[in-house]
Amino acid sequence: MKKITSQDIFLALREKIIHGEIAPGESVKELDLVKEFGISRTPIREALKKLESRGLLSYEKNKGMIVPILDNQAIAELFVIREMLEGTAAGLAAKYATDEEISVLKDMVEEDMHRINDPVMLSKTNKLFHDTINHIAHNSYLLDFYSLLNESMSLLGKSSLSNPSRAEKTLRQHYDIVQAIEKRNSELAKSLAKEHVKSAYRARLRILLNHEREK
């Protein structure tokens, strides 16, 4: 039987945080992990420290390690970086994606048109759409930065695509981005992708403001 390492624990907890199984604000206790994995505290502490260094956990007095809740400033900063990366990825995809890769991207948008009333599935395929654009940009350094960005984006919580009008607008924007990529118009693809991220940020702000009003 394979020995469980700190890396195994890190990857397991990372997946739970990214997929929302451990939500922002929830605590992660060493003792619970000792019982779950059946190992000593040392590898668990190493895993928690690594998650903390990547911003997926933070230490709070009297609470211990928790999945952080991003404040408005952190969210604004996150979307600034996302706009830069997504715009660059779309621009590079217009230059370097193969015809086959662009065809796959077109199919994804068409299939998503039939998921307009399925926000759970649409949230998953929306992420896949953006992942695909970043892969077909064919730049390994961009992918590394994008992977780290995705970890932080997971801390935002519930997707804004549960709103039908937001979902419809998102899919229209996806269609326009893919059209620009297919036409090999790098500047237009970059511009449309950046505007798409700005639109997502505005939708996120509306969610935050509504949440504040409901308190």
Side-chain angles (χ1 to χ4, degrees), residues 23-81:
E26 288 188 29
S27 61
V28 179
K29 295 180 169 53
E30 278 187 26
L31 187 57
D32 291 342
L33 296 174
V34 168
K35 293 176 181 177
E36 180 181 348
F37 291 100
I39 57 174
S40 68
R41 288 176 180 258
T42 300
I44 288 171
R45 286 173 178 167
E46 290 174 356
L48 295 180
K49 201 163 192 64
K50 187 171 182 180
L51 288 163
E52 185 181 18
S53 72
R54 294 172 80 105
L56 293 177
L57 287 178
S58 62
Y59 179 81
E60 285 195 12
K61 191 176 180 181
N62 301 324
K63 289 186 178 181
M65 288 293 194
I66 68 163
V67 177
I69 299 174
L70 300 181
D71 60 23
N72 290 357
Q73 179 62 31
I75 293 172
E77 292 172 1
L78 189 59
F79 273 92
V80 167
I81 300 301

Short mmCIF file of all heavy atoms in Angstrom, two decimals, residues 23-81:
data_model
loop_
_atom_site.label_atom_id
_atom_site.label_comp_id
_atom_site.label_asym_id
_atom_site.label_seq_id
_atom_site.Cartn_x
_atom_site.Cartn_y
_atom_site.Cartn_z
N ALA A 23 -15.55 25.37 1.24
CA ALA A 23 -15.92 26.70 0.75
C ALA A 23 -15.16 27.81 1.47
O ALA A 23 -14.65 27.60 2.58
CB ALA A 23 -17.42 26.91 0.92
N PRO A 24 -15.08 28.99 0.85
CA PRO A 24 -14.47 30.14 1.53
C PRO A 24 -15.11 30.38 2.89
O PRO A 24 -16.34 30.38 3.02
CB PRO A 24 -14.77 31.30 0.56
CG PRO A 24 -14.81 30.65 -0.78
CD PRO A 24 -15.45 29.31 -0.54
N GLY A 25 -14.27 30.58 3.89
CA GLY A 25 -14.75 30.78 5.26
C GLY A 25 -14.72 29.52 6.11
O GLY A 25 -14.78 29.59 7.34
N GLU A 26 -14.65 28.35 5.48
CA GLU A 26 -14.61 27.09 6.23
C GLU A 26 -13.20 26.83 6.75
O GLU A 26 -12.21 27.17 6.12
CB GLU A 26 -15.06 25.92 5.35
CG GLU A 26 -16.54 25.91 5.06
CD GLU A 26 -16.97 24.63 4.35
OE1 GLU A 26 -16.33 23.59 4.57
OE2 GLU A 26 -17.94 24.69 3.58
N SER A 27 -13.13 26.20 7.91
CA SER A 27 -11.84 25.90 8.52
C SER A 27 -11.35 24.52 8.11
O SER A 27 -12.13 23.64 7.75
CB SER A 27 -11.94 25.97 10.05
OG SER A 27 -12.87 25.01 10.53
N VAL A 28 -10.04 24.36 8.17
CA VAL A 28 -9.39 23.08 7.87
C VAL A 28 -8.56 22.71 9.10
O VAL A 28 -7.56 23.37 9.39
CB VAL A 28 -8.49 23.18 6.63
CG1 VAL A 28 -7.81 21.84 6.36
CG2 VAL A 28 -9.31 23.61 5.41
N LYS A 29 -9.00 21.70 9.83
CA LYS A 29 -8.37 21.36 11.11
C LYS A 29 -7.40 20.19 10.98
O LYS A 29 -7.71 19.17 10.35
CB LYS A 29 -9.45 21.02 12.14
CG LYS A 29 -10.35 22.20 12.49
CD LYS A 29 -11.39 21.80 13.52
CE LYS A 29 -12.13 23.00 14.09
NZ LYS A 29 -12.72 23.88 13.10
N GLU A 30 -6.24 20.36 11.61
CA GLU A 30 -5.21 19.33 11.58
C GLU A 30 -5.73 17.99 12.11
O GLU A 30 -5.49 16.95 11.50
CB GLU A 30 -4.00 19.75 12.43
CG GLU A 30 -3.05 20.68 11.73
CD GLU A 30 -1.80 20.91 12.58
OE1 GLU A 30 -1.45 20.04 13.40
OE2 GLU A 30 -1.18 21.98 12.42
N LEU A 31 -6.43 18.05 13.24
CA LEU A 31 -6.89 16.82 13.88
C LEU A 31 -7.85 16.05 12.98
O LEU A 31 -7.78 14.81 12.89
CB LEU A 31 -7.57 17.14 15.22
CG LEU A 31 -7.96 15.93 16.08
CD1 LEU A 31 -6.74 15.07 16.39
CD2 LEU A 31 -8.62 16.39 17.37
N ASP A 32 -8.72 16.77 12.28
CA ASP A 32 -9.64 16.11 11.35
C ASP A 32 -8.88 15.41 10.22
O ASP A 32 -9.25 14.31 9.79
CB ASP A 32 -10.61 17.13 10.74
CG ASP A 32 -11.60 17.68 11.77
OD1 ASP A 32 -11.76 17.04 12.82
OD2 ASP A 32 -12.18 18.75 11.51
N LEU A 33 -7.82 16.05 9.75
CA LEU A 33 -7.02 15.48 8.68
C LEU A 33 -6.22 14.27 9.15
O LEU A 33 -6.01 13.33 8.39
CB LEU A 33 -6.09 16.54 8.08
CG LEU A 33 -6.80 17.73 7.41
CD1 LEU A 33 -5.79 18.78 6.99
CD2 LEU A 33 -7.60 17.26 6.20
N VAL A 34 -5.76 14.32 10.40
CA VAL A 34 -5.04 13.17 10.98
C VAL A 34 -5.96 11.95 10.97
O VAL A 34 -5.56 10.84 10.59
CB VAL A 34 -4.59 13.48 12.43
CG1 VAL A 34 -4.13 12.20 13.12
CG2 VAL A 34 -3.45 14.50 12.42
N LYS A 35 -7.20 12.16 11.37
CA LYS A 35 -8.17 11.06 11.40
C LYS A 35 -8.52 10.60 9.98
O LYS A 35 -8.66 9.40 9.71
CB LYS A 35 -9.44 11.51 12.12
CG LYS A 35 -9.25 11.76 13.61
CD LYS A 35 -10.53 12.28 14.23
CE LYS A 35 -10.35 12.56 15.71
NZ LYS A 35 -11.58 13.14 16.32
N GLU A 36 -8.69 11.56 9.06
CA GLU A 36 -9.08 11.23 7.69
C GLU A 36 -8.02 10.43 6.95
O GLU A 36 -8.32 9.45 6.27
CB GLU A 36 -9.40 12.51 6.91
CG GLU A 36 -9.82 12.27 5.47
CD GLU A 36 -10.11 13.55 4.71
OE1 GLU A 36 -10.21 14.63 5.34
OE2 GLU A 36 -10.25 13.48 3.48
N PHE A 37 -6.76 10.87 7.08
CA PHE A 37 -5.68 10.25 6.32
C PHE A 37 -4.90 9.19 7.11
O PHE A 37 -4.13 8.43 6.53
CB PHE A 37 -4.71 11.32 5.81
CG PHE A 37 -5.29 12.21 4.74
CD1 PHE A 37 -5.77 13.47 5.07
CD2 PHE A 37 -5.38 11.79 3.43
CE1 PHE A 37 -6.31 14.30 4.10
CE2 PHE A 37 -5.93 12.60 2.45
CZ PHE A 37 -6.39 13.87 2.79
N GLY A 38 -5.11 9.15 8.42
CA GLY A 38 -4.45 8.15 9.24
C GLY A 38 -2.94 8.29 9.31
O GLY A 38 -2.22 7.29 9.29
N ILE A 39 -2.45 9.53 9.34
CA ILE A 39 -1.01 9.77 9.42
C ILE A 39 -0.72 10.82 10.49
O ILE A 39 -1.64 11.39 11.08
CB ILE A 39 -0.44 10.25 8.06
CG1 ILE A 39 -1.16 11.52 7.60
CG2 ILE A 39 -0.56 9.18 7.00
CD1 ILE A 39 -0.56 12.13 6.36
N SER A 40 0.56 11.08 10.70
CA SER A 40 0.97 12.02 11.74
C SER A 40 0.72 13.47 11.30
O SER A 40 0.40 13.75 10.13
CB SER A 40 2.45 11.85 12.05
OG SER A 40 3.24 12.25 10.95
N ARG A 41 0.92 14.40 12.22
CA ARG A 41 0.66 15.81 11.95
C ARG A 41 1.71 16.44 11.02
O ARG A 41 1.41 17.41 10.32
CB ARG A 41 0.63 16.61 13.26
CG ARG A 41 -0.61 16.35 14.11
CD ARG A 41 -0.50 17.10 15.42
NE ARG A 41 -1.67 16.86 16.26
CZ ARG A 41 -2.68 17.73 16.41
NH1 ARG A 41 -2.65 18.87 15.76
NH2 ARG A 41 -3.69 17.45 17.21
N THR A 42 2.94 15.90 11.02
CA THR A 42 4.02 16.55 10.28
C THR A 42 3.72 16.72 8.78
O THR A 42 3.79 17.84 8.25
CB THR A 42 5.36 15.79 10.46
OG1 THR A 42 5.69 15.78 11.85
CG2 THR A 42 6.47 16.46 9.69
N PRO A 43 3.37 15.65 8.04
CA PRO A 43 3.06 15.85 6.60
C PRO A 43 1.81 16.70 6.39
O PRO A 43 1.70 17.40 5.37
CB PRO A 43 2.87 14.43 6.08
CG PRO A 43 2.58 13.60 7.28
CD PRO A 43 3.32 14.23 8.41
N ILE A 44 0.90 16.65 7.34
CA ILE A 44 -0.31 17.47 7.22
C ILE A 44 0.04 18.94 7.35
O ILE A 44 -0.42 19.78 6.57
CB ILE A 44 -1.35 17.06 8.29
CG1 ILE A 44 -1.95 15.70 7.92
CG2 ILE A 44 -2.44 18.11 8.44
CD1 ILE A 44 -2.81 15.09 8.97
N ARG A 45 0.90 19.26 8.31
CA ARG A 45 1.33 20.65 8.48
C ARG A 45 2.09 21.15 7.25
O ARG A 45 1.94 22.31 6.85
CB ARG A 45 2.20 20.77 9.73
CG ARG A 45 1.40 20.69 11.02
CD ARG A 45 2.29 20.66 12.24
NE ARG A 45 1.50 20.62 13.45
CZ ARG A 45 1.99 20.33 14.66
NH1 ARG A 45 3.29 20.05 14.79
NH2 ARG A 45 1.21 20.32 15.72
N GLU A 46 2.89 20.27 6.66
CA GLU A 46 3.63 20.64 5.44
C GLU A 46 2.66 20.96 4.31
O GLU A 46 2.85 21.94 3.57
CB GLU A 46 4.56 19.50 5.03
CG GLU A 46 5.74 19.29 5.96
CD GLU A 46 6.55 18.06 5.61
OE1 GLU A 46 6.15 17.33 4.67
OE2 GLU A 46 7.57 17.83 6.26
N ALA A 47 1.61 20.15 4.17
CA ALA A 47 0.61 20.37 3.12
C ALA A 47 -0.15 21.68 3.35
O ALA A 47 -0.38 22.45 2.42
CB ALA A 47 -0.36 19.20 3.07
N LEU A 48 -0.52 21.93 4.60
CA LEU A 48 -1.26 23.15 4.93
C LEU A 48 -0.40 24.39 4.68
O LEU A 48 -0.90 25.42 4.20
CB LEU A 48 -1.72 23.12 6.39
CG LEU A 48 -2.73 22.03 6.76
CD1 LEU A 48 -3.10 22.12 8.23
CD2 LEU A 48 -3.99 22.15 5.90
N LYS A 49 0.87 24.28 4.99
CA LYS A 49 1.78 25.41 4.77
C LYS A 49 1.92 25.71 3.27
O LYS A 49 1.97 26.88 2.86
CB LYS A 49 3.14 25.09 5.37
CG LYS A 49 4.00 26.30 5.65
CD LYS A 49 5.12 25.96 6.61
CE LYS A 49 5.82 27.20 7.15
NZ LYS A 49 4.95 28.05 7.96
N LYS A 50 1.96 24.66 2.47
CA LYS A 50 2.06 24.85 1.02
C LYS A 50 0.79 25.49 0.47
O LYS A 50 0.85 26.38 -0.39
CB LYS A 50 2.32 23.51 0.32
CG LYS A 50 2.61 23.64 -1.16
CD LYS A 50 3.06 22.32 -1.75
CE LYS A 50 3.39 22.46 -3.23
NZ LYS A 50 3.83 21.17 -3.83
N LEU A 51 -0.36 25.06 0.96
CA LEU A 51 -1.63 25.65 0.54
C LEU A 51 -1.71 27.12 0.97
O LEU A 51 -2.22 27.97 0.22
CB LEU A 51 -2.81 24.88 1.14
CG LEU A 51 -3.05 23.49 0.54
CD1 LEU A 51 -3.94 22.66 1.46
CD2 LEU A 51 -3.67 23.59 -0.85
N GLU A 52 -1.17 27.42 2.14
CA GLU A 52 -1.15 28.80 2.62
C GLU A 52 -0.26 29.67 1.73
O GLU A 52 -0.61 30.81 1.40
CB GLU A 52 -0.65 28.85 4.06
CG GLU A 52 -0.70 30.24 4.67
CD GLU A 52 -0.18 30.28 6.10
OE1 GLU A 52 0.52 29.33 6.51
OE2 GLU A 52 -0.48 31.25 6.82
N SER A 53 0.88 29.12 1.31
CA SER A 53 1.81 29.89 0.46
C SER A 53 1.21 30.20 -0.90
O SER A 53 1.60 31.16 -1.56
CB SER A 53 3.13 29.11 0.29
OG SER A 53 2.95 27.99 -0.56
N ARG A 54 0.23 29.39 -1.33
CA ARG A 54 -0.42 29.60 -2.63
C ARG A 54 -1.71 30.41 -2.49
O ARG A 54 -2.43 30.63 -3.47
CB ARG A 54 -0.72 28.25 -3.29
CG ARG A 54 0.56 27.50 -3.66
CD ARG A 54 0.23 26.10 -4.14
NE ARG A 54 -0.20 26.09 -5.51
CZ ARG A 54 0.55 25.68 -6.54
NH1 ARG A 54 1.79 25.27 -6.33
NH2 ARG A 54 0.08 25.67 -7.76
N GLY A 55 -2.02 30.83 -1.26
CA GLY A 55 -3.19 31.67 -1.04
C GLY A 55 -4.50 30.91 -0.92
O GLY A 55 -5.57 31.53 -0.88
N LEU A 56 -4.42 29.59 -0.87
CA LEU A 56 -5.65 28.78 -0.77
C LEU A 56 -6.09 28.56 0.67
O LEU A 56 -7.22 28.12 0.91
CB LEU A 56 -5.45 27.44 -1.48
CG LEU A 56 -5.28 27.53 -3.00
CD1 LEU A 56 -5.01 26.15 -3.59
CD2 LEU A 56 -6.51 28.15 -3.65
N LEU A 57 -5.21 28.85 1.60
CA LEU A 57 -5.54 28.83 3.02
C LEU A 57 -4.91 30.06 3.67
O LEU A 57 -3.91 30.59 3.18
CB LEU A 57 -5.00 27.57 3.72
CG LEU A 57 -5.69 26.24 3.44
CD1 LEU A 57 -4.96 25.12 4.18
CD2 LEU A 57 -7.15 26.26 3.84
N SER A 58 -5.52 30.51 4.76
CA SER A 58 -4.92 31.60 5.53
C SER A 58 -5.15 31.32 7.02
O SER A 58 -6.12 30.63 7.38
CB SER A 58 -5.53 32.95 5.14
OG SER A 58 -6.92 32.97 5.41
N TYR A 59 -4.25 31.84 7.82
CA TYR A 59 -4.36 31.60 9.27
C TYR A 59 -5.08 32.77 9.92
O TYR A 59 -4.75 33.93 9.69
CB TYR A 59 -2.98 31.44 9.90
CG TYR A 59 -3.04 31.23 11.40
CD1 TYR A 59 -3.32 29.95 11.91
CD2 TYR A 59 -2.85 32.29 12.27
CE1 TYR A 59 -3.41 29.75 13.28
CE2 TYR A 59 -2.93 32.09 13.64
CZ TYR A 59 -3.22 30.82 14.14
OH TYR A 59 -3.30 30.62 15.50
N GLU A 60 -6.08 32.45 10.73
CA GLU A 60 -6.79 33.47 11.49
C GLU A 60 -6.78 33.10 12.97
O GLU A 60 -7.04 31.95 13.33
CB GLU A 60 -8.24 33.61 10.99
CG GLU A 60 -8.36 34.33 9.67
CD GLU A 60 -9.78 34.79 9.40
OE1 GLU A 60 -10.63 34.75 10.32
OE2 GLU A 60 -10.05 35.19 8.25
N LYS A 61 -6.50 34.08 13.80
CA LYS A 61 -6.46 33.87 15.24
C LYS A 61 -7.80 33.35 15.73
O LYS A 61 -8.86 33.83 15.32
CB LYS A 61 -6.11 35.18 15.94
CG LYS A 61 -5.80 35.03 17.41
CD LYS A 61 -5.36 36.36 18.01
CE LYS A 61 -5.05 36.20 19.49
NZ LYS A 61 -4.64 37.50 20.09
N ASN A 62 -7.75 32.35 16.58
CA ASN A 62 -8.93 31.71 17.18
C ASN A 62 -9.70 30.81 16.21
O ASN A 62 -10.67 30.16 16.58
CB ASN A 62 -9.91 32.74 17.77
CG ASN A 62 -9.27 33.59 18.85
OD1 ASN A 62 -8.45 33.10 19.63
ND2 ASN A 62 -9.64 34.85 18.91
N LYS A 63 -9.29 30.80 14.93
CA LYS A 63 -9.96 29.95 13.94
C LYS A 63 -9.00 28.93 13.34
O LYS A 63 -9.43 27.88 12.88
CB LYS A 63 -10.56 30.81 12.82
CG LYS A 63 -11.77 31.62 13.23
CD LYS A 63 -12.37 32.32 12.01
CE LYS A 63 -13.62 33.09 12.37
NZ LYS A 63 -14.21 33.76 11.18
N GLY A 64 -7.73 29.27 13.30
CA GLY A 64 -6.76 28.39 12.66
C GLY A 64 -6.77 28.59 11.15
O GLY A 64 -7.01 29.70 10.66
N MET A 65 -6.51 27.52 10.42
CA MET A 65 -6.46 27.60 8.96
C MET A 65 -7.87 27.61 8.37
O MET A 65 -8.68 26.73 8.68
CB MET A 65 -5.68 26.42 8.40
CG MET A 65 -4.19 26.49 8.62
SD MET A 65 -3.46 27.84 7.68
CE MET A 65 -1.72 27.41 7.82
N ILE A 66 -8.14 28.59 7.53
CA ILE A 66 -9.44 28.65 6.84
C ILE A 66 -9.21 28.93 5.36
O ILE A 66 -8.16 29.43 4.96
CB ILE A 66 -10.36 29.73 7.43
CG1 ILE A 66 -9.80 31.14 7.11
CG2 ILE A 66 -10.58 29.56 8.91
CD1 ILE A 66 -10.82 32.23 7.29
N VAL A 67 -10.21 28.57 4.55
CA VAL A 67 -10.19 28.97 3.15
C VAL A 67 -10.58 30.45 3.13
O VAL A 67 -11.64 30.81 3.64
CB VAL A 67 -11.20 28.14 2.32
CG1 VAL A 67 -11.20 28.63 0.88
CG2 VAL A 67 -10.85 26.67 2.38
N PRO A 68 -9.71 31.32 2.60
CA PRO A 68 -9.97 32.76 2.71
C PRO A 68 -11.18 33.23 1.92
O PRO A 68 -11.53 32.67 0.89
CB PRO A 68 -8.68 33.39 2.17
CG PRO A 68 -8.09 32.34 1.28
CD PRO A 68 -8.45 31.02 1.90
N ILE A 69 -11.80 34.28 2.44
CA ILE A 69 -12.86 34.98 1.73
C ILE A 69 -12.23 36.23 1.14
O ILE A 69 -11.71 37.08 1.88
CB ILE A 69 -14.01 35.36 2.68
CG1 ILE A 69 -14.64 34.09 3.28
CG2 ILE A 69 -15.07 36.18 1.94
CD1 ILE A 69 -15.70 34.37 4.33
N LEU A 70 -12.23 36.36 -0.16
CA LEU A 70 -11.59 37.50 -0.81
C LEU A 70 -12.39 38.78 -0.58
O LEU A 70 -13.61 38.79 -0.73
CB LEU A 70 -11.46 37.25 -2.32
CG LEU A 70 -10.63 36.02 -2.73
CD1 LEU A 70 -10.58 35.95 -4.26
CD2 LEU A 70 -9.22 36.08 -2.16
N ASP A 71 -11.69 39.85 -0.22
CA ASP A 71 -12.37 41.14 -0.09
C ASP A 71 -12.44 41.82 -1.45
O ASP A 71 -11.90 41.33 -2.45
CB ASP A 71 -11.67 42.03 0.95
CG ASP A 71 -10.22 42.36 0.60
OD1 ASP A 71 -9.86 42.29 -0.59
OD2 ASP A 71 -9.45 42.67 1.53
N ASN A 72 -13.12 42.96 -1.49
CA ASN A 72 -13.35 43.64 -2.78
C ASN A 72 -12.05 44.03 -3.47
O ASN A 72 -11.94 43.95 -4.70
CB ASN A 72 -14.22 44.88 -2.57
CG ASN A 72 -15.65 44.53 -2.21
OD1 ASN A 72 -16.02 43.36 -2.18
ND2 ASN A 72 -16.46 45.53 -1.92
N GLN A 73 -11.06 44.46 -2.69
CA GLN A 73 -9.78 44.85 -3.27
C GLN A 73 -9.08 43.66 -3.92
O GLN A 73 -8.54 43.77 -5.03
CB GLN A 73 -8.88 45.48 -2.19
CG GLN A 73 -7.51 45.92 -2.69
CD GLN A 73 -7.57 46.99 -3.77
OE1 GLN A 73 -8.49 47.81 -3.78
NE2 GLN A 73 -6.61 46.98 -4.67
N ALA A 74 -9.08 42.53 -3.20
CA ALA A 74 -8.43 41.32 -3.73
C ALA A 74 -9.11 40.86 -5.01
O ALA A 74 -8.45 40.44 -5.96
CB ALA A 74 -8.46 40.22 -2.68
N ILE A 75 -10.44 40.94 -5.04
CA ILE A 75 -11.19 40.53 -6.23
C ILE A 75 -10.86 41.45 -7.41
O ILE A 75 -10.66 40.98 -8.54
CB ILE A 75 -12.71 40.53 -5.94
CG1 ILE A 75 -13.05 39.43 -4.93
CG2 ILE A 75 -13.51 40.33 -7.23
CD1 ILE A 75 -14.46 39.46 -4.42
N ALA A 76 -10.79 42.75 -7.15
CA ALA A 76 -10.45 43.70 -8.21
C ALA A 76 -9.07 43.40 -8.78
O ALA A 76 -8.87 43.39 -10.00
CB ALA A 76 -10.50 45.13 -7.67
N GLU A 77 -8.11 43.13 -7.89
CA GLU A 77 -6.74 42.83 -8.33
C GLU A 77 -6.71 41.53 -9.14
O GLU A 77 -5.98 41.42 -10.13
CB GLU A 77 -5.82 42.72 -7.11
CG GLU A 77 -5.61 44.05 -6.40
CD GLU A 77 -4.86 43.89 -5.09
OE1 GLU A 77 -4.49 42.74 -4.74
OE2 GLU A 77 -4.64 44.90 -4.40
N LEU A 78 -7.50 40.56 -8.71
CA LEU A 78 -7.55 39.27 -9.38
C LEU A 78 -8.07 39.42 -10.82
O LEU A 78 -7.51 38.85 -11.76
CB LEU A 78 -8.46 38.32 -8.59
CG LEU A 78 -8.50 36.85 -8.98
CD1 LEU A 78 -7.12 36.23 -8.88
CD2 LEU A 78 -9.48 36.11 -8.08
N PHE A 79 -9.10 40.24 -10.98
CA PHE A 79 -9.66 40.43 -12.32
C PHE A 79 -8.74 41.25 -13.23
O PHE A 79 -8.78 41.09 -14.45
CB PHE A 79 -11.05 41.05 -12.24
CG PHE A 79 -12.15 40.04 -12.08
CD1 PHE A 79 -12.61 39.67 -10.83
CD2 PHE A 79 -12.71 39.43 -13.19
CE1 PHE A 79 -13.61 38.72 -10.68
CE2 PHE A 79 -13.71 38.49 -13.07
CZ PHE A 79 -14.16 38.12 -11.80
N VAL A 80 -7.92 42.11 -12.66
CA VAL A 80 -6.94 42.84 -13.47
C VAL A 80 -5.97 41.85 -14.11
O VAL A 80 -5.68 41.92 -15.32
CB VAL A 80 -6.15 43.85 -12.60
CG1 VAL A 80 -4.92 44.37 -13.36
CG2 VAL A 80 -7.03 45.02 -12.22
N ILE A 81 -5.48 40.90 -13.31
CA ILE A 81 -4.56 39.88 -13.82
C ILE A 81 -5.27 38.96 -14.81
O ILE A 81 -4.72 38.61 -15.85
CB ILE A 81 -3.96 39.05 -12.67
CG1 ILE A 81 -3.18 39.96 -11.72
CG2 ILE A 81 -3.05 37.95 -13.22
CD1 ILE A 81 -2.06 40.73 -12.37
#
